Amino acid sequence: MIEAGMVNRAKLDFLQGVHAPTDRYRIALYTDRADLNAGTSKYTGAEEVRGQGYSAGGALLKGYKAGVADDVAYITFDPIDWQNSSIAAQGALIYNSSKGDAAIVVVDFGELKKSSVGLFRVEFPTPSS
């Protein structure tokens, strides 16, 4: 089951200054059988998506931006595309490959999202509370 939210490890890591804007953040996609939740501590290949146009470990995120909106701190990234892909994903894990693949956030897409020899895109929402 995929349960969206910031993982417990990341909450402590951010308070201790573990993660930095210059680190390498990645996003990996997962099937609807993945077990991702607040207790997820690092990237895992278990139930990661497989298919044309997708490589294990996901993709490097670019455009790191941090800020505060409506009294809520956030980090966001540029949209990420998998071109000419044939994949099906229920969610994702954002993790920091610079820090031992430390998990940051579990994302639930709300439904199984698919591409068939086409574009699979993940866009980050506009920051708000």
Side-chain angles (χ1 to χ4, degrees):
M1 171 179 258
I2 296 176
E3 296 176 21
M6 180 180 276
V7 303
N8 294 335
R9 174 185 176 160
K11 293 172 187 177
L12 181 58
D13 284 352
F14 278 108
L15 289 173
Q16 294 176 335
V18 172
H19 303 292
T22 55
D23 288 346
R24 294 174 53 90
Y25 296 92
R26 299 184 65 84
I27 184 169
L29 302 177
Y30 290 86
T31 70
D32 56 347
R33 295 178 307 279
D35 185 21
L36 301 171
N37 54 51
T40 302
S41 62
K42 63 185 293 184
Y43 160 78
T44 177
E47 297 302 335
E48 187 173 2
V49 163
R50 295 178 188 196
Q52 177 181 321
Y54 184 85
S55 299
L60 182 65
L61 290 165
K62 297 179 181 174
Y64 178 105
K65 294 177 234 34
V68 176
D70 299 326
D71 295 326
V72 175
Y74 68 87
I75 297 172
T76 189
F77 300 92
D78 294 339
I80 186 76
D81 294 335
W82 285 271
Q83 301 285 344
N84 300 315
S85 64
S86 293
I87 52 181
Q90 177 73 35
L93 179 68
I94 297 173
Y95 66 99
N96 186 340
S97 63
S98 298
K99 302 295 194 259
D101 294 340
I104 307 290
V105 172
V106 173
V107 178
D108 182 354
F109 298 146
E111 64 185 12
L112 195 62
K113 303 288 186 178
K114 300 177 184 180
S115 63
S116 180
V117 192
L119 175 67
F120 191 101
R121 171 175 262 205
V122 174
E123 292 185 27
F124 296 89
T126 302
S128 71
S129 60

